[in-house]
Amino acid sequence: MRNWLTGLLIIGLVSIFGCEQQKELKVAVAAPYTGGAAAFGEMIRRGAELKQKEINEAGGINGMKLTLLFEDDAGKGSEASLVAERIASNPQIVAVVGHFNSSCSLAGQKIYDRAGIVELSPGSTAVNVCEGSPWTFRNLYRDDFQGKFIAQYIDNVLTDLESVAVFFDNDDYGRGLRNAFVSEAERIGLNLVASEAYERDSTNFKAQLTSIKSKNPDAIFISGLFQEAGLIVKQGREAGVTAQFFGADGVDSPDFLTIAGSAAEGVYLTTPFTFGAAGAEAKQMAANFEAFHGVAPDTWAALTYDAVGMIAEALEKTYNADAAIADNRTAIREHLASLDTPEEGYKGVTGLTYFDINGDTVNKPAYVKIVKDGQFVAAEKQLLELK
Amino acid sequence: MAQLLEQFINGLVLGGIYALIAVGYTMVYGIIQLINFAHGEIFMFGAYLALMLITVFNIPFWIAVPTSMLLCAMLGMLIDLVAYRPLRDAPRLSALITAIGISLVLQNLARMIWSARPQQFPTETLPAFFVSEVNMQTGEVLNAIPLPGGGILPYRDVCILVLAVVLMIALNRLIHLTKIGKAMRACAQNRVASNLMGIKTNQVIAITFAIGSALGAVAGIMVGLSENITPTMGYYKGVAAFAAAVLGGIGNITGAMLGGIIIGLAEVLGAGYISGGYRLAIAYIIMIAVIVIRPSGLLGKSTATRA
């Protein structure tokens, strides 16, 4: 009797797991769901969930269901390594969408590279993220482009701003972006009067702001993330700083507006994507997103939505249920690497994505937004081509 | 020169806040030789409770501040009663590990109740003269005193500074002139003997926790006025304040005040003139230097038992 029951149980379990392996395709979405950058992670999760829902409602990937595993790296490189080990050693996961922070993408890269699994980042902009591994891709611009863009925008569009100061986060992202900005500013002759650093998770910036204020810059470029940037803008206006604040994609979060409050008014920032300047598909996605989650999507939700879409497309074209996991992981990489011309690129809501030899996205533009009446809106004048 | 004056005042304001927190560490250490790692979390609760009183219960700011102090004093006493009193005669390490545990529990409790998202006091709920913002056209700053040479000093910072000084003087008088102050000093000297002399030591220790926690709560609210209120705010400020307490000579209240001011000034001047990327590091280097030269801190007594 007992043997018979055990036998039945084993048959039952085998059939359940057997079925599941065939029906389900697992993709990890690694991002900061806790910690200082949690607001980014929240939007990344929502963007991924919307794409997952749409794919599965349309019948899945060749009849197989797409399952997303959300892995929290807390925005820290040390956590990202642990998460990457866990993902790489799970033989059911075929690819990774993430990480968000450049330092996390770099920390995870070593492990993904060894395990042979694709890492497609919807948020890391540090210059060297993709160079280090054939397995790392991203679907947005790099900081050298972004830093150059901001310097040219200030020089060519905001022509009454003649002197600038840089206030940067002392980590991979902040330093890389600052360096790109500074070298372009020097090249085009923008007058750089001060360069100050701060530590991630600082909350008091009065000392550096006082020091910047004494140099009287017309504009202050904050090379960092929204949590610190929000406080910098707020404390700057309290301390009598009248300079024009300018931020980059790290500031692009609705939480920036709540932290800075009324001081956010008139702040400029660059972003890899903005719904205000996007096509009909993006507007449709925004409407679906709002219906599903009850809030409007942001840049990161849209980029993650596209990143999940790219992995799904790769799976649809290459996945072979009978092949070994390593071969399936490799096939995804080969597919992404083959998207190397505009004709073959992936057309998503954030525009056309195709890669160069490193896995960097080529020719995706930057947009400028400004805070108006407590909302991000596309700036009146965009800069479409760099000199 | 003008910049130096403004930086100096920035440092004093931050130092005053550190001093208020450091006093809480040092008073508890002085009396039961425990480094109360949960103190930074009480500081954080002070800010959150005031925020809750204001936004959820619509209580005016001036009443929310003392109410939050009172609630934090009760929280401090509760922690002592539940976590530290049962371990009073246990090895010191047990109490220390418990303190770290309590700190983690409170931090995660705050994350559960209020989420990890940074919050601020809504501007409209604060007293009008606390809100300084620059006029973008004229460059004048509302609700601030102009300093010679173009610097400014917001009224709010004046209030923080004055309140810190008043509370410090009040604490000093309490310790030296009142009966409970005398009992505290007696317990700090020798707890067993004080007990034999009829001093209710447990009660005195509870009151010590209450006072330290109330001062921590005020500091938490002050910080919340210009910075973010987050579940981890107690950690960062707590570590700096603890450094201040050690610098001044842990167990010595005047030393904690002095240490707070020194760390605050070092942090701000270091960030303003050397590099902002290492502002806490600069404070630590000063602390380490002092500890190497004077292991008992600036004003600490050099006894073998004090770490």
Side-chain angles (χ1 to χ4, degrees), chain A residues 39 170 196-199 201 203-208 210-211 213-214 227 231 234-235 237-242 255 258-259 262-263, chain B residues 3 6-7 10 14 117-118 120 132-136 139 141 152 156-157 225-228 236-237 268 271-272 276-280:
Chain A
N170 199 10
E196 292 280 338
Y198 65 84
E199 289 164 315
D201 287 329
T203 49
N204 191 317
F205 303 94
K206 282 183 194 152
Q208 294 99 312
T210 303
S211 165
K213 190 174 67 171
S214 70
Q227 189 158 337
L231 285 175
K234 185 178 163 199
Q235 290 173 9
R237 293 290 181 245
E238 277 173 11
V241 174
T242 49
D255 278 32
T258 53
I259 293 171
S262 59
Chain B
Q3 197 206 141
E6 200 176 355
Q7 296 286 29
N10 286 341
L14 188 64
R117 287 209 149 170
Q120 292 80 28
S132 59
E133 196 167 327
V134 69
N135 181 320
M136 292 297 280
V141 184
I152 60 119
R156 190 189 59 210
D157 287 358
L225 286 173
S226 62
E227 302 180 13
N228 282 332
Y236 293 103
K237 288 284 186 291
V268 167
Y278 306 96
R279 54 188 294 161
L280 269 182

Side-chain angles (χ1 to χ4, degrees), chain B residues 31 47 58 60 62 73 90 103 117 133 143 157 164-165 222 246 307:
Chain B
I31 209 158
N58 289 318
W62 292 117
S103 156
R117 287 209 149 170
E133 196 167 327
N143 295 317
D157 287 358
V165 171
M222 287 173 176
V246 174

Side-chain angles (χ1 to χ4, degrees), chain A residues 223-341:
Chain A
S223 178
L225 303 183
F226 69 91
Q227 189 158 337
E228 289 84 8
L231 285 175
I232 289 169
V233 170
K234 185 178 163 199
Q235 290 173 9
R237 293 290 181 245
E238 277 173 11
V241 174
T242 49
Q244 169 69 53
F245 281 107
F246 211 114
D249 59 339
V251 179
D252 188 9
S253 163
D255 278 32
F256 170 75
L257 302 173
T258 53
I259 293 171
S262 59
E265 205 60 25
V267 172
Y268 281 101
L269 58 91
T270 49
T271 171
F273 172 70
T274 175
F275 282 95
E281 264 179 69
K283 301 231 157 69
Q284 182 59 45
M285 179 259 171
N288 295 346
F289 188 97
E290 206 154 347
F292 186 38
H293 291 297
V295 290
D298 70 355
T299 309
W300 313 108
L303 283 164
T304 310
Y305 177 90
D306 276 357
V308 173
M310 289 184 82
I311 296 290
E313 191 193 70
L315 283 168
E316 194 181 330
K317 292 198 172 143
T318 66
Y319 188 77
N320 177 359
D322 300 324
I325 179 70
D327 295 337
N328 278 319
R329 286 175 172 180
T330 310
I332 294 174
R333 195 209 90 80
E334 298 306 323
H335 175 79
L336 291 183
S338 76
L339 308 177
D340 56 358
T341 60

